[in-house]
């Protein structure tokens, strides 16, 4: 395959699309299937109306929301993901788009979602501003993200070759990280938690829910990775009713 440059490759997402679709399957990867979907759906179901899923990938979560009666739109910059989403859900609404510049009118959605996509969005501050703009006053923004602790660290062998340690370094320095797993090779951004929180607060949003989901079964060896260190965060931010669109 001809090598694409970083911008055309959307930070690895175009050339990783096949591997991503395979890793997600029908039910999501292990973290989504085992505990993240439950955390996100639990909050989504408190709401009703029209949703926007930003960075929807191949559309799995948008399909799930529709099973629960929501109607809405999924956007993603990767053509292959949008085509796959349309193939799997011909009646659904999936469009090419980026989080930093949404093509929707102000106050178009009751529930705006970013499910593990903020870490992939280069200008996350612009994206949060846009998310706020397109959400209706009184509506909510529901986010699942990797914690800043997780994106600043990596697992390393213990000093004597025994056991693994999670080592965090340069926590306060925002930066791009190359992440490679299961044939996927993409850029993720590390930002300290305060950078995200400040961006939501600066837009006048109110934090209504904050949760650090963990796997339910501690006997599953895969759980260890997400209970020993802070892995994921789920946040729900409300756009105040009195805020102008
Ligand atoms: C880790 S995947 C998550 C996909 C899906 N939300 C899920 O949970 O299965 C991140 C997604 O963000 C998308 N993405 C990358 N840059 C983006 C941008 N600037 N705006 C919106 N989405 C972007 C990628 O194409 C990819 O589909």
């Amino acid at each position: 395959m001809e090598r694409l440059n970083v911008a055309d490759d959307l930070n690895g997402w175009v050339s990783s699309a096949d591997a991503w679709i395979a890793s997600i399957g029908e039910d999501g990867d292990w973290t989504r299937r085992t505990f993240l979907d439950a955390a996100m759906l639990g909050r989504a179901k408190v709401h009703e109306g029209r949703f926007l899923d930003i960075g929807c990938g191949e559309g799995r979560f948008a399909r799930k929301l529709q099973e629960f009666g929501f109607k809405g739109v999924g956007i993603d910059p990767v053509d292959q993901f949008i085509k796959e989403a349309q193939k799997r859900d011909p009646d659904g609404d999936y469009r090419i788009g980026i989080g930093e510049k949404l093509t929707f009118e102000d106050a178009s959605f009751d529930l705006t979602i970013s499910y593990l996509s903020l870490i992939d969005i280069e200008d996350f501050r612009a994206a949060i501003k846009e998310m706020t703009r397109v959400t209706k006053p009184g509506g909510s923004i529901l986010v699942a993200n990797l914690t800043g602790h997780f994106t600043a660290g990596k697992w390393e062998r213990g000093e004597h070759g025994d056991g693994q340690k999670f080592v965090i370094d340069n926590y306060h320095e925002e930066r791009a990280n190359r992440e490679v797993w299961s044939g996927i090779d993409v850029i993720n951004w590390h930002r300290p938690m305060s950078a995200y929180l400040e961006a939501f607060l600066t837009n006048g949003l109110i934090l209504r829910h904050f949760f650090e989901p963990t796997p339910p079964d501690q006997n599953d060896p895969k759980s260890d990775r997400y209970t020993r260190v802070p892995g994921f965060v789920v946040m729900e931010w409300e756009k105040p009713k009195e805020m102008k669109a």
Side-chain angles (χ1 to χ4, degrees), residues 10-11 13-14 20 24 28-29 32 36-37 53-61 75-79 81 97-102 113-123 127 144 181 186-189:
L10 295 165
N11 299 310
W13 281 104
V14 173
W20 176 261
I24 283 291
D29 59 5
R32 287 170 174 77
L36 289 179
D37 274 9
D53 185 3
I54 297 174
C56 66
E58 41 58 67
R60 192 190 58 90
F61 195 66
I75 67 148
D76 201 283
V78 177
D79 187 52
F81 288 152
I98 56 165
E100 292 95 327
K101 203 165 188 335
L102 297 171
I113 289 173
S114 164
Y115 193 160
L116 293 180
S117 62
L118 269 184
I119 34 158
D120 296 289
I121 297 183
E122 191 160 351
D123 189 348
W181 80 102
V186 293
I187 300 293
N188 272 182
W189 271 267

Side-chain angles (χ1 to χ4, degrees), residues 30 71 79 82 136 140 181 187 196:
W30 186 82
K71 293 257 177 284
D79 187 52
I82 293 303
K136 292 180 187 171
S140 290
W181 80 102
I187 300 293
Y196 287 112

Side-chain angles (χ1 to χ4, degrees), residues 127-187:
I128 291 172
K129 192 167 178 206
E130 280 290 86
M131 290 163 88
T132 308
R133 181 182 67 75
V134 301
T135 303
K136 292 180 187 171
S140 290
I141 300 174
L142 181 60
V143 176
N145 210 18
L146 288 170
T147 67
H149 312 92
F150 203 80
T151 55
K154 58 177 187 286
W155 290 96
E156 284 184 356
R157 280 242 149 267
E159 228 172 88
H160 307 290
D162 50 343
Q164 295 248 307
K165 295 268 176 277
F166 191 77
V167 181
I168 294 181
D169 205 358
N170 294 324
Y171 173 78
H172 286 284
E173 180 197 312
E174 291 184 23
R175 60 186 179 274
N177 287 331
R178 183 177 174 193
E179 299 294 339
V180 183
W181 80 102
S182 307
I184 299 158
D185 186 348
V186 293
I187 300 293

Side-chain angles (χ1 to χ4, degrees), residues 7 34 59 85 87 97 105 156 158 165 204 214 227-228 236:
T34 314
K87 191 172 96 190
E105 299 285 311
E156 284 184 356
K165 295 268 176 277
T214 52
T227 49
R228 287 180 58 190
E236 185 183 311

